[in-house]
Amino acid sequence: ADFKRHIRRYVQSHVVTQEGIKLPWGVSEYDGQAELCFDSVEEMNAAFNEPRFLAEVHPDDATFIDMEGCKLMVVEEITKVA
């Protein structure tokens, strides 16, 4: 609950198929991605520095995240088509 109070939105996107995908770019080898949205960098920092997150969640990251291959981005969302 401590961590969640800082998040505006959390979405997981899971790959459903790679078959028949015909795009001009390579298809990722990853099986999904997670998107966490915060109202500010300060809220993001507060969430990831919550004592309960650091003690209970963060130590388990390597169980379900490819830490060596994981890429993180802090971005600002700009809607172009809605």
Side-chain angles (χ1 to χ4, degrees):
D2 297 337
F3 182 83
K4 288 195 276 186
R5 70 187 169 103
H6 299 287
I7 297 176
R8 182 168 28 99
R9 188 175 80 206
Y10 172 48
V11 177
Q12 289 185 350
S13 299
H14 300 265
V15 171
V16 291
T17 184
Q18 300 289 20
E19 292 182 32
I21 305 267
K22 295 179 180 165
L23 298 172
W25 312 278
V27 177
S28 174
E29 69 277 9
Y30 295 108
D31 61 357
Q33 70 178 26
E35 177 182 343
L36 292 98
C37 299
F38 302 91
D39 288 329
S40 67
V41 170
E42 292 77 19
E43 285 291 328
M44 179 189 69
N45 288 336
F48 287 110
N49 286 284
E50 283 283 353
R52 189 167 170 210
F53 172 83
L54 293 172
E56 297 176 19
V57 178
H58 184 59
D60 196 37
D61 282 349
T63 302
F64 57 93
I65 298 173
D66 173 8
M67 299 306 287
E68 299 256 335
C70 184
K71 304 286 189 266
L72 300 175
M73 294 188 300
V74 176
V75 301
E76 177 182 0
E77 186 176 283
I78 300 170
T79 302
K80 297 295 186 176
V81 177

